[in-house]
């Protein structure tokens, strides 16, 4: 089950005239996903950058129904949408909740774990810019170790919560990580998720140049480095079967980290520590 | 129409079943849970074609029901007290989105201190949310109000809470006349208006600038004002169709020549009737005003019925701290400049506290004693 990457639909269901910043990683993720999800998709988005850039007054960015929900409850809303479609006998619609890292892993986690446990027939996307950008870039559970944020000038002191492992532990149909610099991989994952009858979770690393301290035109490049250095593994767990979907080239983690202002205070020891943990994870010794 | 002996919880569930709800989202809380258990049993027994979403919180309960409504399904939930407070964000939001959700509320006191017992504090906390709020004197009202609520909600695109009190109503058996399903179907035709529809894609809750936000709120409030006309019409239709005796906004009892009026909502109305009967036997010109519709507040109807009385005693099973009882506050505000009657509020029956005939009598006496004018009395301390 793969997409025909060379013959993607020309139609843009998301992205024409959005009010996001130029180089917005979240908007790129939206555009890529919609190429696969198609017109018969209902999107619910909790409070976040993605929600506000989706529609202003009578102008909307989406060509599918989309609903800017309250912060905590997009997966619960989507559960209700699915129930209403089922009762009306409408079967071929993708119901997608699309949350930021706060709207999925922090304040939105309760409704996410609830919907996943119930095996609701929905896809939940966490588009991860690793901080609370819509409110100015504060630290959250998805902010990585040592990253500087608007309310954490000294850098984060604890690890990023492993949402992919947590979601995998729900025993849901489909779990995948993705990255906007690997659109074909990302789109294939959406294709699979859309074919499932239960719950799917796709976690997309989508840099925010303002929060990360990079230039707008570097969004894709930095996203790619996250994968190539091994800090953002591309994989899927398809009905329990775990597969790495891309083998990285293992550039030094320093190449990824040094490219970003949010890691400007990283010491040599901290960089070495992060390199060591990547090496260990991939079984490359210390 | 047949007659059954059921609790208020069963009356709420039966009302929702007769309305053929399609999406039920629910999170357990005492004393609302028996209504939900009854509904999930109807679904499991194949008597009701409805999707039950077993959510993980009250917030998600109303959110899931809201999702169902936005996608075109007739949707219902039931809650109270802490559950309602946790939902509050969604309560406002659903009203702003103009979704015709109906919610049963088995009124219970709010923590702290912890209490499981009846009062109206939870409903009153939601008085500014933009939901229509109906109160039920007895289990017949619970059933009748629930069915009427769907008609009102769907015609006005405004959500409705049907209040009935925990234990006093939720767990107490009473005789209830049950309307025929076929007639309810005709009374509540299903007209789907999905906002989330792939054949007609639209953005819902897009960011509204200062140039339009006030207009949205004006239109929302206008629907509440329309409700003051619609609710009595729906009640009249209902009474005609089902031979029922359901009140619209308010109902007067022994009010024609009354010099003293008791005003109340919920189960205490039934108790106050007993006192009125007793005092009437002693020759006292006293009457009673039952407020079924608290939001929108039926100012004109209340003013009209109270215009010739000398004394008003308002019974409030709630306290707005630093202000007084919510109903008394509304009545005083609306009677301002209309007459020279004494209006006393009585705070009683909080958290299941005593609110029998004796306590109501005490409140009435307070109002007529010369040194107590236009005050809030606490009864039963
Ligand atoms: C109940 C509630 N609390 C707080 C907020 C304020 N708020 C809006 S968006 C946001 C941060 C969103 O962060 P994230 O989910 O990571 O998405 P991003 O904006 O970074 O894309 C916050 C804190 C809110 N809208 N609602």
């Amino acid at each position: 089950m793969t997409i025909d990457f060379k013959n993607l639909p020309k139609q843009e269901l998301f992205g024409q005239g959005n009010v996001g910043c130029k180089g917005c990683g979240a908007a790129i993720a939206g555009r890529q996903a919609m190429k696969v999800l198609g017109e018969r998709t209902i999107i619910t988005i909790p409070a976040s950058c993605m929600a506000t850039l989706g529609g202003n007054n009578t102008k909307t960015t989406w060509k599918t129904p989309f609903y800017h929900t309250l912060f905590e409850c997009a997966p619960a809303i989507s559960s209700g949408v699915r129930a209403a479609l089922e009762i009306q006998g409408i079967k071929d619609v993708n119901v997608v909740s699309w949350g930021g890292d706060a709207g999925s892993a922090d304040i939105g986690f309760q409704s996410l774990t609830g919907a996943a446990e119930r095996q609701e027939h929905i896809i939940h996307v966490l588009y991860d810019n690793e901080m609370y950008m819509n409110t100015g870039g504060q630290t959250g559970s998805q902010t990585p170790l040592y990253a500087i944020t608007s309310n954490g000038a000294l850098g984060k002191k604890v690890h990023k919560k492993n949402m992919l492992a947590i979601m995998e532990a729900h025993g849901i149909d489909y779990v995948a990580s993705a990255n906007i610099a690997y659109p074909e991989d990302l789109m294939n994952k959406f294709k699979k998720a859309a074919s499932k009858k239960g719950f799917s979770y796709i976690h997309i690393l989508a840099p925010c140049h303002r929060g990360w301290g990079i230039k707008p035109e570097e969004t894709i490049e930095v996203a790619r480095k996250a994968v190539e250095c091994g800090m953002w593994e591309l994989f899927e767990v398809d009905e329990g079967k775990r597969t790495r979907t891309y083998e990285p080239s293992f550039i030094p983690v320093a190449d990824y980290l040094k490219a970003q202002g949010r890691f400007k205070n990283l010491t040599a020891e901290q960089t070495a520590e992060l390199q060591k943990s990547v090496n260990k994870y991939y079984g490359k010794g210390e | 129409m047949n007659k059954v002996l059921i609790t208020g919880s069963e009356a709420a569930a039966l009302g929702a079943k007769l309305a053929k709800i399609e999406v039920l989202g629910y999170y357990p809380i005492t004393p609302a849970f028996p209504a939900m258990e009854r509904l999930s049993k109807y679904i499991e027994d194949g008597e009701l074609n409805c999707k039950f979403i077993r959510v993980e919180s009250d917030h998600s309960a109303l959110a899931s029901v809201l999702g169902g409504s936005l996608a075109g399904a007739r949707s219902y939930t039931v809650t109270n007290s802490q559950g309602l407070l946790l939902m509050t964000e969604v309560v406002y939001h659903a009203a702003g989105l103009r979704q015709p959700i109906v919610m049963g509320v088995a009124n219970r006191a709010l923590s702290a201190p912890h209490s499981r017992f009846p009062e109206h504090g939870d409903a009153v906390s939601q008085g500014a949310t933009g939901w229509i709020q109906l109160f039920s004197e007895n289990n017949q009202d619970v059933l009748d109000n629930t069915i009427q609520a769907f008609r009102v909600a769907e015609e006005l695109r405004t959500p409705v809470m049907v209040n009935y009190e925990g234990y006093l109503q939720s767990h107490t058996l009473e005789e209830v006349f049950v309307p025929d399903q076929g007639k309810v179907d005709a009374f509540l035709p299903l007209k789907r208006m999905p906002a989330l529809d792939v054949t007609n894609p639209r953005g819902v809750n897009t960011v509204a600038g200062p140039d339009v936000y006030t207009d949205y709120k004006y239109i929302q409030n206008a629907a509440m004002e329309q409700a003051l006309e619609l609710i009595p019409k729906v009640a009249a239709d209902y009474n005609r169709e089902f031979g029922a005796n359901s009140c619209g906004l308010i109902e007067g009892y022994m009010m024609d020549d009354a010099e003293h009026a008791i005003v109340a909502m919920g189960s205490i109305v039934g108790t106050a009737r007993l006192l009125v009967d007793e005092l009437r036997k002693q020759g006292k010109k006293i009457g009673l005003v039952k407020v079924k519709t608290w939001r929108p507040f039926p100012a004109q109807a209340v003013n009209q019925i109270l215009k010739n009385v000398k004394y008003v005693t308002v019974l409030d099973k709630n306290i707005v701290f630093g202000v007084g009882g919510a109903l008394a506050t509304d009545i005083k505000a609306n009677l301002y400049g209309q007459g020279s009657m004494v209006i006393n509020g009585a705070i009683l029956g909080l958290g299941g506290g005593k609110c029998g005939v004796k306590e109501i009598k005490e409140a009435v006496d307070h109002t007529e004693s010369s040194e107590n004018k236009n005050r809030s009395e606490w009864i039963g301390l």
Side-chain angles (χ1 to χ4, degrees), chain A residues 40-41 55-57 63-68 72-73 76-77 80-81 83-84 86-88 110-111 114 117-118 120, chain B residues 49 51 54-57 59-60 63-64 66 68 70-71 89 93 97 192 197 201-209 212:
Chain A
R40 292 186 70 80
T41 299
N56 258 289
N57 290 338
K63 294 222 172 99
T64 59
F66 100 96
Y67 164 32
H68 171 177
E72 312 83 343
C73 56
I77 294 274
V81 170
E86 278 176 3
I87 210 93
Q88 293 170 73
Q110 179 170 307
S111 65
E117 184 273 332
R118 295 193 303 276
E120 295 284 352
Chain B
N49 180 27
K51 296 280 172 192
R54 179 186 48 79
V55 285
E56 79 305 319
S57 74
H59 193 282
S60 287
S64 66
L66 175 59
L70 284 163
E89 190 197 24
H93 182 67
L97 291 176
R192 295 193 194 282
D197 176 3
R202 276 172 290 180
V204 175
N205 194 33
T206 55
V207 180
V212 291

Side-chain angles (χ1 to χ4, degrees), chain A residues 47-49 71-72 100-103 107 127 129 131-135, chain B residues 89:
Chain A
S48 58
C49 286
F71 205 4
E72 312 83 343
D101 40 283
I107 194 169
Y127 76 92
N129 53 32
M131 48 185 85
Y132 293 15
M133 283 320 304
N134 198 46
T135 41
Chain B
E89 190 197 24

Side-chain angles (χ1 to χ4, degrees), chain B residues 291-314:
Chain B
V291 175
K292 164 175 143 177
T293 306
W294 178 58
R295 286 291 180 269
F297 190 73
Q300 262 187 356
V302 168
N303 288 4
Q304 180 64 26
I305 203 164
L306 294 179
K307 69 174 191 287
N308 294 323
V309 302
K310 285 198 196 123
Y311 300 104
V312 181
T313 299
V314 186

Side-chain angles (χ1 to χ4, degrees), chain B residues 175-206:
Chain B
E175 270 187 357
V176 172
F177 287 96
V178 183
D180 297 331
Q181 181 70 64
K183 281 190 173 178
V184 176
D185 292 348
F187 186 76
L188 291 177
L190 187 61
K191 285 172 281 190
R192 295 193 194 282
M193 287 180 68
L196 296 173
D197 176 3
V198 289
T199 64
N200 180 17
R202 276 172 290 180
V204 175
N205 194 33
T206 55

